[in-house]
Amino acid sequence: MIINISNQDIEFIHELEAKFPNIFLENDILNDFKNNPYTKYIVYLIDSKIVGFLNYYEIYNRMEIVNFNVLDFFQNKHIGSRLLEYMIKYAKDKKIENITLEVRSDNEKAIYLYKKYGFIPVAKREKYYNDVDGILMEKELM
Ligand SMILES: CC(C)(COP(=O)(O)OP(=O)(O)OC[C@H]1O[C@@H](n2cnc3c(N)ncnc32)[C@H](O)[C@@H]1OP(=O)(O)O)[C@@H](O)C(=O)NCCC(=O)NCCS
């Protein structure tokens, strides 16, 4: 099951922090969640427990994927695909114009998945991650 997390659902944010410690180590996720009106989270639940999530910014008519993760054990079971499909459908319903993201150039699986859902590479940030380039990708919706 996929749900949007609202500002009332602080328990989910604590669960995210606990389950994805590397990602949220340097970011104050609780502060972002409570005070950034543009940040949104959707989570994939199995037996009421989070196994994956997608965090994006929705700023007027554009969206940007900020974090996208599935727990190791649950990867390659199409949970990431379902999260992306859910977000893209939401974006279309809201008449969002485009969705952007950045991905490491060596992240073959993520790049494969983004291309599968219509994202195309539009720019490169050379050596953005030490020796690895960052690839900017975009999906036009309108
Ligand atoms: C990227 C991520 C969110 C995808 O979630 P997921 O649930 O594993 O993805 P899915 O199961 O929906 O889809 C995986 C697809 O990639 C394919 N795949 C698997 N390994 C691959 C590889 N090394 N190279 C290319 N494609 C690969 C699978 O065959 C599958 O394709 P299919 O849908 O055509 O069958 C997840 O792997 C993850 O959390 N990775 C670590 C964090 C990360 O890299 N996040 C993205 C940052 S931009």
Side-chain angles (χ1 to χ4, degrees):
M1 178 169 77
I2 296 177
I3 60 166
N4 297 295
I5 303 185
S6 79
N7 290 50
Q8 315 301 318
D9 302 325
I10 297 299
E11 282 306 309
F12 278 128
I13 289 300
H14 289 312
E15 192 182 339
L16 276 174
E17 257 183 317
K19 285 194 169 154
F20 300 91
N22 301 340
I23 296 163
F24 297 118
L25 200 61
E26 291 167 18
N27 304 318
D28 186 349
I29 181 177
L30 196 56
N31 184 40
D32 178 59
F33 185 64
K34 281 182 174 169
N35 300 316
N36 179 350
Y38 302 116
T39 198
K40 310 248 168 141
Y41 287 83
I42 55 178
V43 296
Y44 195 107
L45 303 176
I46 294 180
D47 295 334
S48 308
K49 299 288 177 208
I50 295 174
V51 297
F53 76 96
L54 210 160
N55 170 216
Y56 59 91
Y57 292 153
E58 180 181 341
I59 306 175
Y60 300 103
N61 53 358
R62 293 172 197 283
M63 280 168 44
E64 180 170 347
I65 296 177
V66 182
N67 266 310
F68 176 35
N69 264 264
V70 173
L71 290 175
D72 287 351
F73 180 79
F74 292 95
Q75 288 185 18
N76 297 316
K77 300 182 195 315
H78 293 130
I79 289 171
S81 297
R82 297 293 92 81
L83 284 165
L84 271 179
E85 285 164 10
Y86 186 95
M87 191 199 65
I88 291 167
K89 180 180 183 313
Y90 168 85
K92 284 181 177 163
D93 290 347
K94 289 276 306 259
K95 307 247 181 300
I96 296 290
E97 280 181 20
N98 74 351
I99 309 172
T100 54
L101 61 90
E102 186 189 54
V103 57
R104 288 172 59 108
S105 61
D106 60 358
N107 193 342
E108 291 176 7
K109 177 159 60 152
I111 291 171
Y112 165 85
L113 207 51
Y114 292 136
K115 284 185 174 167
K116 185 173 161 189
Y117 284 96
F119 289 82
I120 54 168
V122 289
K124 185 164 76 171
R125 287 185 180 147
E126 284 205 27
K127 314 278 185 227
Y128 189 64
Y129 303 95
N130 295 324
D131 280 346
V132 181
D133 297 339
I135 309 283
L136 295 168
M137 300 186 79
E138 183 173 36
K139 178 178 173 68
E140 294 285 354
L141 293 167
M142 309 274 295

